[in-house]
Amino acid sequence: MAVLGPTGSGKSELGLRICESFDGEAVNCDSLQLYRYFDVGTAKLGAAERREIAHHLIDILEPAGLFTAGEYARAGRQVLEEIRGRKRLPVLVGGTGFYLRALLEGLSPAPVRDPDLRAGLLEHERRRPGFLHRVLGRFDPAAAARIHANDLPKLTRAVEICLLAGKQASSVQAIPRQALKGFRALKLGLNPLRETLSRVLDERARRMFREGLTEEVRSILDRGVPPTAKPFESLGYKQALQCLRGEITPEQAVADTQTATRRYAKRQLTWFRREKDVIWLEGFGNDPHIVERALGEVSTFLKSAGEP
């Protein structure tokens, strides 16, 4: 089963309650919690906070590493099988919707990323702005019409697929996906009132900086991690890094993190609203009535599947 929703909505707490009640093990579905050392800004549960419940796919990457949705899906499917082998309930918890979809529905069988090719493509784009969109227009007009000329990540990937697969990216991406087999998914979505969630997110941003987010960033840099590492692009970490560089004040770092986090939560909800078969719970994951409703839904789901 999966607990999804926007950042700050209490997914971790609800996931813990479900694991406690149904002999579950938590499976992280947050792209940032994969990284070691990035703790304060990701609201990562410490060992004591996990209540002796097994957690998977947390702290498995070095900060300079990359983990695609396809890699997450492969690792996640292996973890699900292992948990099932122990006759326990896998509980996916997190807000990275693309990872969840990749795990449950699969991805198109596109070629794996080629770092050298991508670096070369981006260097051409830097020297000749618009290069990627023009090249894609020649290789795959349908994809070029669909992707904005300024969306470099999507343009890079589309051109990369064309070059590596030897065919149009749109045709490769149209190949049927390999959905997860042997599991049924119950999706519980948390949807607190937007005004209340905004207040919670604003306070969480203030608390993260009070509890040492900037100091955590400094300690990560001291480990030799380059400031260009991908996790530093994320909420809070980007602003803390700017603060350390003297580009913004500590007060501005907090304010910018609050604004960016509220916008991110809105995008997450927009994504999850398109997810199929979600049972929406109108509140936070630590609200007693939400917990009771969620546990009831899980119980009904397991009984319908023939589970005890």
Side-chain angles (χ1 to χ4, degrees):
M1 68 151 302
V3 179
L4 52 88
T7 184
S9 59
K11 297 184 294 295
S12 295
E13 174 62 25
L14 183 56
L16 287 171
R17 293 295 300 273
I18 293 170
C19 287
E20 289 175 325
S21 299
F22 298 97
D23 291 327
E25 298 185 21
V27 182
N28 170 52
C29 193
D30 181 296
S31 61
L32 285 174
Q33 292 196 11
L34 296 167
Y35 290 97
R36 299 184 181 98
Y37 317 125
F38 287 77
D39 302 329
V40 175
T42 63
K44 188 184 296 177
L45 295 179
E49 297 172 299
R50 298 177 192 177
R51 305 176 196 170
E52 299 184 350
I53 293 168
H55 281 63
H56 304 274
L57 300 183
I58 288 180
D59 292 334
I60 63 172
L61 285 182
E62 291 298 325
L66 293 175
F67 209 59
T68 66
E71 289 169 325
Y72 174 82
R74 286 189 289 274
R77 291 180 180 192
Q78 180 178 339
V79 167
L80 294 184
E81 291 290 354
E82 292 170 355
I83 295 173
R84 180 164 64 177
R86 291 189 287 273
K87 300 187 184 304
R88 298 178 69 85
L89 177 68
V91 181
L92 292 159
V93 181
T96 304
F98 189 43
Y99 276 21
L100 178 66
R101 189 169 297 175
L103 175 62
L104 299 181
E105 300 180 15
L107 296 171
S108 61
V112 298
R113 295 170 186 261
D114 183 323
D116 293 335
L117 174 59
R118 295 170 69 83
L121 292 173
L122 288 171
E123 178 61 20
H124 280 297
E125 176 68 24
R126 186 187 67 80
R127 293 178 178 177
R128 299 163 55 197
F131 167 80
L132 286 173
H133 199 259
R134 290 192 295 272
V135 169
L136 185 60
R138 292 197 294 270
F139 288 163
D140 189 346
R146 186 178 68 252
I147 302 174
H148 193 280
N150 294 331
D151 193 339
L152 293 186
K154 289 184 180 179
L155 287 172
T156 304
R157 180 58 177 155
V159 173
E160 179 184 45
I161 291 173
C162 290
L163 292 173
L164 294 177
K167 59 182 70 174
Q168 293 183 336
S170 53
S171 65
V172 172
Q173 293 166 341
I175 298 173
R177 304 176 179 188
Q178 296 296 317
L180 177 66
K181 296 180 180 179
F183 290 86
R184 291 198 311 143
L186 171 67
K187 303 174 193 174
L188 299 178
L190 292 171
N191 184 32
L193 286 173
R194 180 175 297 180
E195 296 79 6
T196 308
L197 178 61
S198 293
R199 290 195 296 271
V200 167
L201 294 177
D202 284 353
E203 174 53 32
R204 189 171 77 165
R206 286 190 289 268
R207 185 172 65 252
M208 287 192 309
F209 280 90
R210 284 199 308 267
E211 294 179 353
L213 178 58
T214 304
E215 290 73 20
E216 180 175 89
V217 169
R218 183 183 290 111
S219 72
I220 295 171
L221 293 172
D222 288 344
R223 291 177 177 272
V225 177
T228 54
K230 189 164 184 60
F232 283 130
E233 300 172 5
S234 60
L235 298 170
Y237 288 100
K238 176 180 179 180
Q239 290 78 12
L241 187 59
Q242 290 175 316
C243 186
L244 283 175
R245 289 170 167 169
E247 298 170 358
I248 58 177
T249 65
E251 295 76 16
Q252 189 62 52
V254 173
D256 288 356
T257 300
Q258 290 172 328
T259 300
T261 305
R262 292 194 300 270
R263 290 173 177 168
Y264 177 59
K266 184 178 179 180
R267 292 197 300 273
Q268 285 178 298
L269 273 173
T270 299
W271 175 282
F272 286 128
R273 284 295 186 189
R274 296 196 294 265
E275 193 72 29
K276 296 180 293 185
D277 303 322
V278 176
I279 296 174
W280 287 100
L281 308 174
E282 306 299 321
F284 290 88
N286 59 355
D287 292 346
H289 70 284
I290 294 295
V291 173
E292 181 180 3
R293 166 91 188 280
L295 296 182
E297 293 288 353
V298 177
S299 179
T300 299
F301 176 78
L302 293 177
K303 288 178 181 176
S304 71
E307 299 286 342

